[in-house]
Amino acid sequence: MTTPAIPEGVKRCGSRQFLLWLGVAALVVLWGVYAMYRIWFYGLNQTNMNNAYGFALWIWADLAVIALGGGAFFSGFLAYIIGLKNVKNIINFAVILGVVCYTSALLILGLDVGQPLRGWFIFWHANVHSMLTEVAFCLSVYLGVLIIEFIPVLLENPKIQKVRFFHHLSHNMHEIMAVFAATGVFLSFFHQGSLGGVPGVLYGRPFAFREGLFVWPWTFFLFTWSAAAVGPLFTASMCRLTEAITRKKLVKDDVYHLLAKISGWMLLTYIIAKSIDTIYWATVTAPSMGFALMDFYSNNPLYNIWILVAEIAVCGFLPALILITRKGRENKKLLFGAAILAIIGLLINRWVMVLQVMAAPLMPFQEEWFMYSPAWTEVATSILPIAYGIILISLAYRYLPLFPQEKELNPGN
Amino acid sequence: MEKIPSHTKKRHFGMVIDLDKCTGCASCMVACYSENNISFRDEESVKMLSTNWIQVFKLTNGKPFPDTEVCYLPKPCMQCDGKHFGHSPCVSVCPAVATDFDYPTGIVSQIYTRCFGCRYCMAACPYHARKFNWWDPVWPADMEKYLSPDVSPRMRGVVEKCTFCYHRFQRARQQAYNEGRPEDIREDEYQTACTQACPSNAITFGDLDNPDHAVYKLKNSRYAFRLLERLNTNPSVYYLSTREWVHRAADNYLEHEQPAFSEEQQA
Amino acid sequence: MKIDRRCFLSLAGGLVAGHLLSPVPWKVTDDLSIWTQNWPWTPVPETGPVAWKETVCTMCPGGCGIKVRMIKDRVIKIEGSEDYPINRGSLCPLGYSSIQYLYGPSRVTSPMKRTGERGSGKFEPVSWDEAISEVSGKLDALRKNGQSHTVACISGSDKGTVPLLFKRFLEAYGSPNFIRTPSGQDAHETAAYLAQGHSDKNVGFDLENATFILSFGCGLLDGGGAPGYQFSTYSRFDRRHTLVQVEPRLSNTAAKAKKWLAAKPGTEGALALGLARVIIENGLYNRNFIENHSFGFEDWTDDNGAIHMGFKRMVSEYTPSRVAGITGLEARQIESLARDFARAQKPVAVCGYNECRAVADIDKTLAVHALNALVGNINQSGGMIVFPDPEYTVSPVEKDRIASTGLTKPRADMAGTDKYPQSRYLLNLLPDILMSAKESDLPVQALLVTGANPVYTLEDSTTAQAAFAKIPFIVSFSSFMDETAQYADIILPDHHFLEGYRDVPPPEGVGKPITGLSKPVVSPRYDTRNTGDTIIDIARKMGGSISNSFPWDGYEAFLKEALKDQYRDLSRNGYVENVEKPAALDVAFATDSGKYEFYPTRRHTTGNGDEAKLPGFKETDVPGKETSGGVILIAYKSPRIASGAVANPPFMTKTIDADMLKKEKLFIQINPETAGKLNLKQGDEAVIETSAGKASVKVDLYDGIMPGLAAMPAGLGHTAYSRYIAGKGVNVNALLQPVADPTYGINKAWGIRAQLKKA
Ligand SMILES: Nc1nc2c(c(=O)[nH]1)N[C@H]1C(S)=C(S)[C@@H](COP(=O)(O)OP(=O)(O)OC[C@H]3O[C@@H](n4cnc5c(=O)[nH]c(N)nc54)[C@H](O)[C@@H]3O)O[C@H]1N2
Ligand SMILES: Nc1nc2c(c(=O)[nH]1)N[C@H]1C(S)=C(S)[C@@H](COP(=O)(O)OP(=O)(O)OC[C@H]3O[C@@H](n4cnc5c(=O)[nH]c(N)nc54)[C@H](O)[C@@H]3O)O[C@H]1N2
Ligand code: SF4
Ligand code: SF4
Ligand code: SF4
Ligand code: SF4
Ligand code: SF4
Ligand SMILES: [Mo]
């Protein structure tokens, strides 16, 4: 008798339909791969970046996926360190999302640097003062941790379980997972922070620059905090999306409610801190360098003052307030609406901390804002991770027992 | 092979550019291209893709005809000393130590073979002094023949910038060493290509800390200022202007603030 | 052994682990990065011992001394020569860029014969023998047909030994048609002839010793005139020096001037006269000069007893308030400027470096010369200096009958004919003459072009192109594939100046007569020849009296003979300076009166009476129809754009600001007020149209330009050379239309009416 590849007791779509689904995503991946080829063989002139926009769409995408991938570390933190059992029902999914996000981040970094073959100089000739060095170290080690966290999930596949060695391995790994999760949390805490440090230390860029604590600018803490707040909301939303696509209930609502509650409070505290930071920056830090708040906002739609209002009020306080109320959380529409707003808020935050930093003119005799719109190659490679994520998650969902509650929630199968 | 002398004497090289003199002719830019093997392309009008280690800007006082005034402002790398000496905005962020602050000269170096092109330094530099090699450099026909062996041409994918013609310092230091006066590099022995090229003598170059050098006195002139000084980047490039609006145009001020220099106060 | 799945997997796992632990991946990673550091397509310049060689730059007529940094036979860098008396270390950006013309894709690498359409740039290489035979054959045939006078030579200069060889060739051959390109020299030469009686002299300004320079629109710091000389003069300015710039646009020169006076364009003559009046009225003029060395200052009586108006009476009409009305300046400004100028220690008034494209206005030039005369600075330190052309001593030409007949024929450009008896060269008229002639009796059947690019540089270049296209046979001697070379049937390429000998005659406008010698610093890179050698070869090939007139082995032999005793000093020092002081005032003037003539008695005029002869202000009409909402287009010079001599090299194009050129689009400067009327905004796409042509441009709003004007930089819009030069912007000449001065024929249009509309 052949072992089925699909986990026992769950139902999956037919292989034809599955292949078609994968095929569509694969086309998008191919488009991205073609763009990668152009960039690696012809160089970064294939993008629309320029000397004013040394950092652009990709670095934003990097910061964004890492922040969203933060769901993995924070769920891990909740599950293994705080010991919230309920979170374990979604942790496998969070880990896979994390793997997708972090591998994508590294891939984009590999594209973004001018000399990818020398990328390892960041380790070899490491400058310990550079936030980017800190990011690179933590990021790669954390990706290792994530993969280690992912392996036992992978080994759960019935076919793999048949191999005795893997069976034992997976069992033993489960035992020690808490140690890795803890390491991961620590690493992640640091690199999320370092990513915040990347713009925050730029004292030549008053839009980005923040004072701080010891060597860390406030953005260091704000980035970690925001990733911790919004990451789980992203995990939850993606999970909900998977439910919608598969038309199956995969986790119980109380898992969502728990995550939403925690995130809500995290978000609220974060956005209060962020507001204080913004006020201090706008009234003390920036003016000391000769800038009034409105010097940083132009009347072009990308870098308008509304972007600040959107980030803090619409995508900050509003979702936070929804999520901390029971009524808000327990209304599915409100819950996921708030989650999406919070995610958008996070994306805006990373956007301004990368692109607006580059756009604002500094020398008074250069009044023009620097403008940029990404080239197709940048778009294609930034969309690639989404398609790649869809493929990986689909495969994982099909072949791995991701959701412990699935059988119970879908008894008819 | 001659021995490369080690040096102990601390110097702090810098420039003073007299904006009242600069005519905007761009000889400095061209001399720098030639001295430093800067590549060119058939399309150079998109300035943010163009590689210039020194760029001359045109500033206007914003008044209508015929009260308009123009000032030209050449901008090389400021060789920032940074918040604390050596903590230059760009140097402190480079993850691979591909750009470094040279304490004995105060010059911010750039190592093309180590740079892996992450462009973090460009994000850090408020002066847009750094340029990325978006393309492979190409010298059409037989133009490679004019390249100087003193400065290596850069490969695609790395960042480059003005080095205060550091190779000229090395040459002068070698010369001094060979002549048995290793610590004694005369003011005229080390001058940058743009300084030398300026047909209007608008640029003065030397050791900012050496009272015998012309820059020492000039930088203390009441007409002296630096670009974006309020960012605390601590540039080693000073400017001179007797015009208040130029001082104002060189830094950011809130509405009620005034630059330190004012024409009235001088009069 | 049967390999089961488990075994396979552990094997694979082991292999991966083994590789990671082995040095292989690390070595590969390391090698890959080393490879990126030594990409074979990133050049590694060869090193070697360094040598410095001194020579003289000829990229423009400015004549700067340069030092060339060499490694083996490679030119690495050009720098200014500190002790060369013209530029004293200063160089313009074109000088630094000249290595990009020694090397690079613009060069004509061997003799070429045209294979494609005129202007298409399709040529095939031919041997020197073949090319020279073809030229001499064509010229011989014309000569045998009695058409020797239909051969013309257009040269960028008429000074120096290479132009001398061309003149000599035409003389021996039998053509009167040696034509120098229109230039700033024309007006000064004419004025010097009229007021001082000299026909073969240079007018220079001793700027380096002047303390007050009053410039009527000279691009002193805009790359005009002799840039190296002017920059070095300016670099030595201190508090005691004053520069006043009269110009309708805040140019680089105006930006650096102590005072910028935006007089209406074309009214500079009136301003000069207004200043003269204030100076005279207040007795601020130099009495010694006026009383002892001038003529026609006061009213005077001629041999027939008729009373003529003197300069003084004429300018009395130019009251400050009237001049203010004409120029748009304030009366107060005019009065104080006149006082400051006349009271300065060493004042000098200059004009007309821009004669060629802005008013070649004889009256204005005479008025400005008169200002100098009033303050008595003629032939004085810091003043206006007139000095003779260098003398060349060569044996007379041998002329046969055909040559003698040919030389008596009228010139193709009408210079020196009854219509324009006092003009020497009128290339600006030639296109129209050619256009209106029938193919059968085209006055130019063969054209030799040297050091000039008339297809690009003549105003109304579209007509010029069509006109030159009619000429059956064109020979270019250009080193570069310029626009005119693309029209040629044969190209006989000259060396780059770093590859060959040539003398550098005293630059126009410079206050001291310095002849330089440009020497080869590298061996010729391509199959090129010194044009001097080529012309001697052609003459030799033609045999008879023509060959006899060229007895030299080659150009160097000719150069040595022509320069005689100067040659030794030249080759030793790189330059010679005429040590003679400028002529003393009692022998300085070759006029009938032997004095400086404020009233130019020998002036040829169409009108009658004193008004026609005296340099009073006459409104010059601007070509084109006056329309509402129109602008007047003027050309301006930027020091970052080479606009004569050669096209802008890639290095200089790299320096051009983004508000001047964006991709292929050129920006036209207009005042915001003008823009408001025309409903245009910064960066708008627009179309400019004149009677000569039409171009699409972008709009740059500039407070520093007079409302109503629109300015375009000269020197862009090339179609030839290489892809690094061609296709950028618009050639302003294609929009301009020359207007001939009725008595001198030279172009006097300083601008043209144009329609500027949003695209
Ligand atoms: N590097 C380099 N230098 C050169 C040359 C070269 O090819 N390369 N060519 C040389 C030659 S041949 C010459 S003739 C000179 C030419 O040198 P210039 O005569 O100095 O140059 P132009 O471009 O003719 O000068 C145009 C200037 O006059 C102003 N202008 C335009 N119309 C008017 C007007 O009606 N009135 C007034 N007052 N000003 C006006 C414009 O704003 C502009 O600044 O340059 C010489 N110098
Ligand atoms: N756009 C524009 N047009 C102008 C002017 C301007 O400033 N801008 N200025 C006007 C003025 S002032 C003048 S004087 C005229 C000048 O007009 P031209 O005398 O026609 O001047 P250039 O453009 O200087 O042409 C010189 C040509 O000689 C060639 N050449 C360069 N070096 C050598 C060499 O060593 N040997 C030979 N045989 N050829 C060589 C180059 O290819 C170049 O095209 O143009 C007038 N027209
Ligand atoms: S100007 Fe820019 S590149 Fe130069 S030292 Fe300062 S921060 Fe660094
Ligand atoms: S681009 Fe190069 S020099 Fe700049 S920070 Fe990155 S590695 Fe350092
Ligand atoms: S100092 Fe040297 S490297 Fe820097 S701008 Fe000047 S010439 Fe270029
Ligand atoms: S060379 Fe001198 S005058 Fe010319 S732009 Fe540079 S600094 Fe200014
Ligand atoms: S001014 Fe003329 S001669 Fe002098 S360097 Fe420039 S191009 Fe050469
Ligand atoms: Mo000229």
Side-chain angles (χ1 to χ4, degrees), chain B residues 22-28 56 74 198-200 203:
Chain B
C22 173
T23 63
C25 70
S27 281
C28 50
V56 183
C198 176
S200 312
I203 312 179

Side-chain angles (χ1 to χ4, degrees), chain B residues 94-95 98-99 110 115-121 159:
Chain B
C94 175
T99 178
Q110 180 73 20
C115 170
F116 66 97
C118 69
R119 304 183 301 288
Y120 192 13
C121 52
V159 164

Side-chain angles (χ1 to χ4, degrees), chain C residues 236-466:
Chain C
R236 287 163 176 82
F237 267 24
D238 58 31
R239 262 174 285 106
R240 291 162 300 184
H241 292 88
T242 301
L243 168 64
V244 174
Q245 181 74 354
V246 179
E247 198 174 347
R249 185 184 153 269
L250 182 58
S251 62
N252 293 50
T253 312
K256 294 288 105 181
K258 204 166 259 178
K259 214 175 261 148
W260 165 45
L261 294 177
K264 284 186 200 143
T267 68
E268 295 81 2
L271 176 59
L273 297 173
L275 297 173
R277 181 195 138 115
V278 178
I279 291 171
I280 296 170
E281 188 133 278
N282 293 287
L284 295 170
Y285 56 89
N286 184 310
R287 269 170 221 284
N288 172 43
F289 184 87
I290 298 300
E291 281 160 20
N292 303 318
H293 306 289
S294 82
F295 169 84
F297 181 73
E298 303 283 354
D299 291 356
W300 57 285
T301 318
D302 66 16
D303 295 346
N304 304 327
I307 297 179
H308 293 274
M309 175 162 62
F311 183 75
K312 185 171 150 189
R313 180 144 66 91
M314 189 218 28
V315 299
S316 65
E317 290 170 33
Y318 293 87
T319 60
S321 61
R322 178 169 166 231
V323 172
I326 298 172
T327 58
L329 301 173
E330 289 164 35
R332 190 178 42 82
Q333 286 177 310
I334 297 164
E335 286 193 62
S336 71
L337 175 60
R339 288 206 172 82
D340 292 348
F341 177 74
R343 286 185 183 143
Q345 198 194 352
K346 291 179 180 181
V348 68
V350 296
C351 76
Y353 289 109
N354 59 357
E355 292 299 74
C356 43
R357 51 172 47 297
V359 232
D361 180 337
I362 306 300
D363 291 300
K364 174 184 95 177
T365 312
L366 279 170
V368 172
H369 284 204
L371 268 183
N372 288 305
L374 276 181
V375 294
N377 73 9
I378 298 197
N379 288 5
Q380 309 297 312
S381 154
M384 182 168 107
I385 317 273
V386 176
F387 51 83
D389 275 347
E391 268 179 51
Y392 305 110
T393 45
V394 283
S395 53
V397 176
E398 192 182 315
K399 281 176 263 189
D400 62 6
R401 208 176 34 81
I402 305 183
S404 305
T405 324
L407 287 168
T408 60
K409 297 272 164 65
R411 283 171 59 97
D413 64 354
M414 294 173 63
T417 58
D418 290 347
K419 191 154 185 216
Y420 305 115
Q422 290 179 329
S423 301
R424 297 169 72 194
Y425 315 109
L426 290 172
L427 181 59
N428 51 310
L429 300 184
L430 193 60
D432 282 342
I433 293 171
L434 290 174
M435 288 310 279
S436 55
K438 281 201 293 285
E439 298 287 335
S440 52
D441 50 24
L442 206 65
V444 179
Q445 295 289 338
L447 176 67
L448 313 176
V449 186
T450 177
N453 185 14
V455 165
Y456 172 85
T457 55
L458 281 179
E459 267 108 351
D460 192 3
S461 52
T462 320
T463 306
Q465 267 172 35

Side-chain angles (χ1 to χ4, degrees), chain B residues 5 20 34 59 70 115 119-120 127 146 168 221 229 245 251:
Chain B
D20 290 349
S34 186
L59 284 54
V70 158
C115 170
R119 304 183 301 288
Y120 192 13
Y127 302 102
Y146 72 57
R168 288 186 169 215
S221 148
E229 205 160 350
W245 70 266
D251 214 332

Side-chain angles (χ1 to χ4, degrees), chain B residues 15 32 36 53-54 76 162-165 192-194:
Chain B
M15 249 176 213
C32 181
N36 292 296
W53 290 6
I54 179 168
C162 155
T163 60
F164 269 0
C165 295
T192 69
C194 52

Side-chain angles (χ1 to χ4, degrees), chain A residues 56 84 298 325 348:
Chain A
L84 296 178
S298 83
T325 54
I348 293 177

Side-chain angles (χ1 to χ4, degrees), chain B residues 92-135:
Chain B
S92 52
V93 300
C94 175
V97 206
T99 178
D100 208 357
F101 187 83
D102 185 49
Y103 285 92
T105 56
I107 295 173
V108 174
S109 66
Q110 180 73 20
I111 311 168
Y112 314 120
T113 47
R114 184 178 291 176
C115 170
F116 66 97
C118 69
R119 304 183 301 288
Y120 192 13
C121 52
M122 300 178 76
C125 170
Y127 302 102
H128 292 297
R130 296 179 158 269
K131 313 286 156 162
F132 185 70
N133 282 274
W134 302 99
W135 288 268

